[in-house]
């Protein structure tokens, strides 16, 4: 195999064109070998295999700098830059991240990149840094067509056009985001493809960039020819290549959305082992919303490139029609739209993962909360049980959202409470509301839940006791129940409280606990720094009440094991019980 001789891009330079074609096939097999056994991004990597081989054949990394947007197409790059063991050796697969990572390869991976639309702006910074120091290297950025809908991509292209020096922006156009693309830009990209890049209008040229189009984006020889033409160019140019998502693996070609990312699978595309089916709360919420749409034509669900979060697959999207709208990779626009839709009288619900919600902090503050429009923001994945790559950590949402004035942040503990909060949030007209959707918490309530949440910051006492009060939020309420049960078995009748509101405190209730409690313990599925527990501890600061806050220490956890994370942060039921016992006088 040719790949056995390739430990760096320098080893490719003497290959013939026929050998490059063979190498591309071997790289594709390495990608498939990894995703079949380990899971990961399938379609984007398969579609960009030939382009990666051509890039590394023509350019001179690591001297020439390559920046991969969102990293969904970076697996072939890793194989060719000294990390092929992570794709061909089963024992090495866990060592390789699914994203660009200088921790793996400081030479070849310039940035940690897991969020989209960032690469061109990063490349602009490399350009300016190079130019100010008199450097001569090529700066190459790889960005998918789906990522172009993000505002930062436009900003980056605009800046690169202004800088005017060497930059090669490779637009990997497979006519797909995670799902299908939406927006006027994509009608234009279609015009460019259909005209072989010659149509009168050209988005990239209007921003001051040169432009070249290649229809055969999976042809190594033609890619090499194009890249050789632009190498060492003295001005910025877009190389727009048309690729096939999932190229070389028929199941991924036939169902591009399903195979964007996939669990481990067999050669025929079947799951390698049945995925354990659990009641996934966002999907359950999505089903309720679809049922509610039938009764409420004013209800519109917004997504930002990831409609499957709530189970809005391609067939479902067709069924609900105009009651679902995907803004593309543009969370900022989604929040602004939701606010304005609510202003106009529609019932707007925007849902995305907590890690992506970070990109729209200003809109949550300014476009939504300052205006006080009654839109609903569903925050998913916000848990230690969510995504675990450190570019996708989802448990920093409470410090971010709960401190925004005029935004109510609710934390349901079970399915019934989640639906009750969602229904209230949709049909009330006083508040901007965010809801922290549980991942796999306690699925069903054991007693009736409230249906009206308009009396803000009113905590619910689930059991009145004494000595110790446990305030357990959201999907960690079940931990509070377990700890309270253990304390009762040990002779301590602990009070158990479901706070429900993460964005405020119930001062009358907290004050009442001072009468016959000596310790208040808070438990939250999120960051301790700036979290819910700190708000409770601050309230009790001037008093004699002792507080213990249980949550996750602030750091970037990468590909963590959940059980180990819980132990490290003293978040197992036994550890919480022991810590409480230790602090009781």
């Amino acid at each position: 195999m040719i790949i056995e001789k390739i430990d760096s891009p320098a080893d490719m330079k003497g290959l013939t064109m026929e050998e490059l074609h063979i190498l591309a096939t071997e790289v594709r097999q390495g990608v498939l070998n990894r995703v079949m056994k380990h899971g990961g991004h399938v379609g984007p990597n398969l579609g960009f295999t030939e382009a990666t081989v051509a890039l590394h054949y023509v350019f001179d990394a690591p001297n020439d700098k390559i920046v991969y947007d969102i990293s969904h197409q970076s697996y072939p790059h890793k194989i060719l830059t000294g990390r092929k063991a992570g794709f061909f050796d089963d024992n090495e697969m866990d060592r390789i991240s699914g994203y660009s990572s200088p921790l793996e390869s400081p030479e070849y991976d310039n940035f940690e990149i897991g969020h989209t639309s960032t690469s061109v702006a990063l490349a602009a910074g490399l350009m300016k840094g190079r130019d100010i120091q008199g450097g001569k290297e090529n700066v190459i950025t790889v960005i998918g067509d789906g990522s172009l809908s993000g505002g930062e991509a436009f900003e980056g292209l605009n800046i690169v056009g202004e800088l005017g020096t060497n930059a090669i922006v490779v637009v990997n156009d497979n006519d797909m985001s995670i799902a299908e693309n939406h927006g006027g830009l994509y009608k234009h990209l279609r015009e460019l493809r259909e005209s072989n890049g010659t149509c009168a209008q050209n988005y990239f040229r209007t921003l001051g960039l040169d432009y070249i189009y290649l229809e055969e984006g999976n042809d190594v020889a033609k890619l090499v020819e194009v890249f050789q033409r632009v190498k060492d160019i003295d001005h910025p140019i877009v190389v727009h290549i048309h690729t096939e998502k999932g190229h070389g693996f028929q199941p991924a070609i036939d169902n591009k959305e399903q195979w964007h990312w996939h669990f481990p699978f067999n050669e025929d595309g079947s799951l390698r082992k049945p995925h354990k089916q659990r009641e996934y709360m966002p999907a359950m919420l999505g089903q309720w919303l679809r049922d509610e749409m039938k009764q409420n034509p004013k209800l519109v669900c917004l997504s930002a490139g990831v409609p499957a979060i709530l189970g809005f697959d391609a067939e479902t999207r067709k069924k609900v029609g105009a009651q679902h709208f995907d803004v593309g990779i543009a969370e900022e626009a989604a929040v602004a739209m939701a606010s304005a839709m609510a202003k106009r009288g529609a019932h707007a619900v925007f849902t995305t993962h907590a890690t992506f919600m970070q990109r729209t902090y200003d809109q949550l503050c300014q476009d939504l909360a300052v205006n006080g429009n009654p839109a609903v923001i569903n925050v998913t994945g916000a848990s230690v049980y969510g995504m675990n790559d450190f570019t996708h950590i989802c448990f920093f949402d409470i410090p971010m959202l709960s401190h925004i004035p005029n935004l109510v942040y609710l934390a349901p503990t079970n399915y019934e409470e989640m639906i009750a909060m969602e229904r209230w949030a949709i049909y009330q007209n006083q508040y901007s509301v965010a809801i922290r959707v549980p991942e796999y918490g306690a699925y069903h309530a054991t007693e009736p839940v409230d249906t009206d949440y308009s009396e803000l910051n009113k905590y619910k006492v689930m059991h009145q006791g004494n000595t110790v009060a446990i305030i357990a939020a959201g999907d960690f309420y079940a931990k509070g129940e377990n700890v309270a049960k253990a304390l009762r078995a040990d002779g301590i009748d602990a009070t158990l409280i479901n706070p429900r509101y993460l964005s405020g405190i119930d001062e009358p209730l907290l004050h009442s606990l001072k009468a016959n409690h000596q310790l208040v313990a808070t438990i939250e599925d999120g960051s301790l720094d700036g979290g819910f527990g700190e708000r409770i501890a601050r309230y009790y600061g001037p008093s004699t009440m002792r507080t213990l806050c249980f949550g996750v220490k602030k750091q970037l956890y990468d590909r963590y094991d959940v059980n180990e994370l819980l132990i490290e942060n003293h978040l197992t039921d036994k550890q919480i019980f022991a810590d409480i016992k230790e602090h009781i006088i």
Side-chain angles (χ1 to χ4, degrees), residues 432-469:
S432 304
V433 180
I435 298 175
R436 195 176 205 247
V437 179
E439 284 283 283
Y440 301 103
Y443 301 137
H444 298 290
T446 56
E447 57 185 78
V449 299
D450 292 335
T451 57
D452 185 1
Y453 297 88
S454 55
E455 186 179 357
L456 299 186
N457 305 324
K458 183 70 173 178
Y459 295 177
K460 189 168 185 178
V461 179
M462 306 301 292
H463 175 78
Q464 182 65 56
N466 57 70
T467 310
V468 174

Side-chain angles (χ1 to χ4, degrees), residues 390 393 395-396 527 552-558 565 568-569:
F390 76 163
I393 296 299
F395 48 72
F396 299 127
S527 174
V552 183
K553 291 176 289 189
K554 183 178 72 175
Q555 67 181 62
L556 292 174
Y557 299 90
D558 189 24
L565 180 78
E568 178 184 338
N569 286 276

Side-chain angles (χ1 to χ4, degrees), residues 44-45 48 52 68-76 142-144 172:
N45 285 291
F48 203 69
T52 307
Y68 284 87
D69 198 276
I70 206 173
S71 308
H72 287 172
Q73 69 286 79
S74 65
Y75 290 5
V142 175
I143 185 167
N172 175 33

Side-chain angles (χ1 to χ4, degrees), residues 172-185:
N172 175 33
D173 183 357
N174 56 33
D175 196 22
M176 286 285 290
S177 183
I178 296 174
E180 71 275 5
N181 285 317
H182 295 278
L185 175 62

